[in-house]
Amino acid sequence: MEPAEILSNPGGVIGVSWLMIALPLLGAAVLLLGGRRTDKWGHFLGVLMALASFVVAALVFFQMLGFAPAERRVSVPLYAFIPGVADLGLLIDPLSISFALLITGVGSLIHIYSIGYMSHDTDRRRFFAYLNLFVAAMLLLVLADNYVALFIGWEGVGLASYLLIGFWQFKPSAATAAKKAFVVNRVGDFGLLIAIFIVFTTFGSVAFGEVFPKAGEASQGTLTAIGLLLLLGACGKSAQLPLQSWLLDAMEGPTPVSALIHAATMVTAGVYLVVRSGAAFFPGDGTASLVVTIVGVATLLAGAIIGTAKDDIKKALAGSTMSQIGYMMLAAGLGPVGYAFAIAHLITHGFFKANLFLGAGSVMHGMNDQVDMRRYGGLRTLMPVTFITFLVGYLAIIGFPLLSGYFTKDGIIETAMEHNAILGWLAVAGAGITGFYMSRVVFMTFFGERRWDKDVHPHESPAVMTWPLIVLAAGSAVLGAYLVLSNRLMVFLGPAVGLPEELPAFHVVSPVGLATLALVAAGAGYAWLKYGRQEVPVVAPRGSFLTTFARRDLYGDALNEALFMRPGQWLTRLAVWFDNRGVDGLVNGLAATIGGTSGRLRRIQTGYVRSYALSIFVGAAILAGAWFVVGTL
Amino acid sequence: MNITAPTIEYLQLAPLLIVFGAAILGVLVEAFAPRYLRRAMHIPLTLLSLAGAFALVIVQTIKGVPTEPSAMGAVAVDGPTLFIWGIILVLAFVTLLLINDEDHFVPAASAVPGSAEEERALIEGNVHTEVYPLALFAIGGMLLFPASNDLLIMFVALEVMSLPLYLLCGLARRRRLLSQESAMKYFLLGAFSSAFFLYGTALLYGFAGSVDLAKIDTALGAVGGQDALLYTGAALLGVGLLFKIGAAPFQAWKPDVYQGAPTPVTALMASGTLVAAFGALLRVFWIALGNLDWDWSPIMWAVAILTMVVGAILAITQTDIKRMLAYSSIAHAGFLLVGVVAIGDAKQNSIALSSILFYLAVYGITSVGAFAVVTMVRDAGGEAWHLSRWAGLGKRSPKLAGVFAFFLLAFAGIPLTSGFFGKYAVFQAAIAGGALPLVVVGVVSSAIAAFFYVRVIVLMFFSDPAPDGPTVVLPSWGTAGVVGFAALATVVLGVFPQPVLDLAQSAAGSLFVR
């Protein structure tokens, strides 16, 4: 089934769905402009705005449920933005509202959690301002009904991400990480930008409603080019190979930021972009969608391998995020069935990864901001709530039967297997590695010897932090089954992304599923042997060359340095040399000409009224003379 | 002989009458009220009259735009006029909040600068409350100028608008000699250009036998063999109008006058006068000379190009912030002229007109905001006029510097500011009108102009502050309100331009009545 037609605004709550974006934006504006005066109650305003946005999203969702499936895609035009190019409008459909619910729901929980987590920070208000800004921009990204508005949201989340990674800018590492994220993202953003340019020149519009139906008219080459450029944008935002290197460094930001932006929502924007444009620019058998699946598989393996070697709990989780988004990307390259699983995994991942990150944050909060897992150990009795919720998130991500990951990740693996056996088996291998590295995190943190310093007194976090954990854990446990069983999400998303001819039947037990489970169990068992039963050394052992390979992020940074930075520097030097010899003559000449002209012309401005009057007189004479010449021609 | 009493549509002219009435009341206040009461009486009188006039403009817009000229064909209150009135009244209102601020004006204008007499007036705390009625007269003139439907009324309006401004220019409290010099220059050159205007009117009367704009238009087709009268008259009339908007080669007065005048008065000239003069220019060239556009278009092309280029290039080497803004205003006048050239059929005209109206609104507001910021950055000798004194302002008062940077970006036409949509609208109209080369020049000049705007931003944020650098005075509620209003308008119109664009479009839809 093709995606449904986009209908006009039906009114009701949908008519004011822009409130979803406006409320957090207002919150950010008040907090940023209000300055220190809002310090006392700023965090409450931030939470309130996020919650209010969630309420609007929920109301919109329920109104939409009242419509027949074919009528669930509506556009809410707001106003003409750039006359003749782009209007600002919202596209409310099952896909966008799923995202909106995830962003505002998980976003609100993380806002609440941050009240506790940031309670000691003197700049808590600014933090909440940025968080609100992020929520607004992210909602614009997913709700926009055209590429230009999407791009504004895209840049908005990039800005918020930059500001929040570098939130503790007094730390040089944080400032550098923020810059790195910004620069790497810029590469992807240019891809997206050029894609939008091509879309506009090809179709004369950037609105989804006008471009998608006309996609068939463009040549195959154009479509592939647009698809690949969109993918480049997606790779930047979603930390996929080859633009993955910024995500690990982004963990310099406060942990709630890692949970919200760099795990649950922003980094999934690339998946959104691919799924949204899927039917038009990523046709099932095209080159573009093939490249999407390859990128997905490569990243899911790379992220998993990186995750195995990190001792920093947040970086281990960041590797895992890369890997899980790899799964989503893989699914997004597989057509309508894949879209549904990509989004299902995206939503459940939003829950369990936020859960895991916030759990990690809770541990750090009790451990004087220690992030080295070799300095943890045996925390399960001291932080029972954190432990239990973390455990649920852990079981969900490795695909423990009947928890969320079991349904969504296995769905992706099975779909991939049907599509291409190589992709399928590589995805299975990734699941096995996931079992290993996640178990490693759990064992090193909550089991074994207590390895922390004397002056650290681990304690459970306050209720404002544990309650969001409990809610997220509950979601991590059951959401997968809810979304996947009887193809609930797939049918729901049908009007937005299209439905396959035949709905896949979900087997609770399948050969591929059993193979996956066996591998996961093997990975977890190996982790138990190495980190559960054995003592974990406080100082990391040297390890084999493979360990080093993983620790160094698969030499991603080294590769970037060798491939781009150094040649870039040479190129810069060459360019500077060439610039000094050749271009400067031209450019400086031009600048000097303009500057010199300015300097010379300036002298005409003598300050004497008589010369001004003369210039007026001469001007008038020329004007009248010219008129005669033109008039009598 | 029977003389029929003229019919006057009082309601249509009410905004004008209110402003002029308030100005006359202001003169009476000056004459009869005791000195200590005057300010307290002027402020409500002035602000209320402007607000009342604005309310009446809105009432008329809602009631429906008249389709016939009023007052026996002397004044045309049509869609564009109402829109322009609206802009001018808003700009005048915020500028008056700036004028309201104490210590912009000289305590005793007649005292020789630096004399003991001046010292005494300063100590006694004298103020020239005459500025209020003067400003009101100027504003009244600005309202009449773009609305006048015949050349004589237009000339009267021009003088009513200009004479009080000449005076106001000479009343700066600091750098008084510069201020008096600017008033003198403005007066002499203004008188000179008025003479051109009047002579042009006389010649056109000779050609058409009437000073009525519509009748001149009719005469274009009917009268033959009088080309010399027509061409010279039209050219001279054009000189008078182009002088007021500061188009090259008649721009020389602008930097000197903007620099010397008290900054709130500069703000009034940069916004209100420009808006009014463009309204009048459009009326003359589109109505009276509308069918002659094949003749004047090439000339206007040249003037527009020259104006944009001269404004942008000369601004680069300016070191005085007000002079820089003056050249920027010249460049913007050039961009607006691009819209004037984009004349064509009725549909094209309405597109071009609406783009000009929108541009005038956004540019006027941003420029009042920018000059308001200039009034707040002071050092020992008053406003810190030299650009080097602005170095590092971003470190000392980041909010103010941020707002000013934002205004500069709006002048440069960066997206998400109102300036972007102003330029976009005008250039789009010009392309539709077949003036692509002009747009190319416009974009290149914008790029040159962006250089000096951004240079100020770099100076404010990336240079170390001077140890004895200027301080930012704590703004009064009025100035703070002006800056806040201008910043808000610049943001909102940059993100959400639709309502004002629509308003400009519906105002331009009916075009000018004849």
Side-chain angles (χ1 to χ4, degrees), chain A residues 580-606:
Chain A
N580 285 339
R581 301 290 162 100
V583 182
D584 262 17
L586 198 72
V587 172
N588 287 354
L590 193 68
T593 313
I594 293 178
T597 315
S598 181
R600 267 189 294 282
L601 275 179
R602 220 180 143 183
R603 270 178 242 148
I604 300 175
Q605 194 80 10
T606 52

Side-chain angles (χ1 to χ4, degrees), chain A residues 41 61 88 110 115 214 261 334 377 444 459 490 528 579 589:
Chain A
W41 43 269
F61 175 65
L88 207 63
I110 292 173
I115 296 179
K214 283 195 280 187
I261 300 186
L334 298 176
M444 283 175 86
H459 55 83
M490 194 177 299
W528 167 249
D579 193 62

Side-chain angles (χ1 to χ4, degrees), chain A residues 32-35 37 78-85 88 152 594-595 597-603 605-609 612-620 623-628 630-632, chain B residues 181 185 188-189 192 196 228 231-232 234-235 239 242-243 249-250 252 255-256 285 289 292 294-296 298-299 303 313-314 316-318 323 327 399 416 421 424 428 448 494-498 501:
Chain A
L32 286 177
L33 295 175
R37 267 161 289 176
L78 296 180
Y79 55 86
F81 180 52
I82 306 176
V85 178
L88 207 63
I152 296 176
I594 293 178
T597 315
S598 181
R600 267 189 294 282
L601 275 179
R602 220 180 143 183
R603 270 178 242 148
Q605 194 80 10
T606 52
Y608 293 118
V609 178
Y612 294 177
L614 186 67
S615 74
I616 293 175
F617 182 77
V618 172
L623 214 65
W627 208 308
F628 267 99
V630 177
T632 47
Chain B
E181 183 187 330
K185 279 180 182 164
L188 287 173
L189 295 172
F192 192 49
F196 277 100
Y231 294 154
T232 325
V239 171
L242 290 172
F243 172 84
F250 316 108
D256 292 20
F285 277 86
L289 308 173
L292 213 60
W294 279 106
D295 290 351
W296 59 255
I299 297 166
V303 172
I313 287 186
L314 273 171
I316 290 177
T317 40
Q318 299 308 315
R323 284 185 86 86
Y327 279 108
K399 271 187 197 159
L416 296 185
F421 287 109
Y424 181 86
Q428 199 191 29
I448 299 176
V495 181
F496 190 42
Q498 191 60 26
L501 274 176

Side-chain angles (χ1 to χ4, degrees), chain A residues 405-485:
Chain A
Y406 178 71
F407 293 97
T408 55
K409 200 200 294 173
D410 276 20
I412 294 176
I413 291 174
E414 300 223 5
T415 317
M417 197 67 88
E418 276 171 32
H419 193 78
N420 181 327
I422 301 176
L423 290 177
W425 285 113
L426 287 174
V428 172
I433 308 176
T434 309
F436 171 72
Y437 71 76
M438 282 311 302
S439 308
R440 176 174 174 270
V441 170
V442 171
F443 293 140
M444 283 175 86
T445 307
F446 293 103
F447 292 86
E449 296 276 311
R450 299 179 171 184
R451 297 180 301 272
W452 59 77
D453 292 334
K454 283 203 187 65
D455 56 338
V456 177
H457 307 286
H459 55 83
E460 185 56 272
S461 297
V464 72
M465 289 169 68
T466 48
W467 274 106
L469 282 174
I470 293 168
V471 176
L472 286 171
S476 316
V478 300
L479 254 173
Y482 180 78
L483 295 175
V484 173
L485 288 182

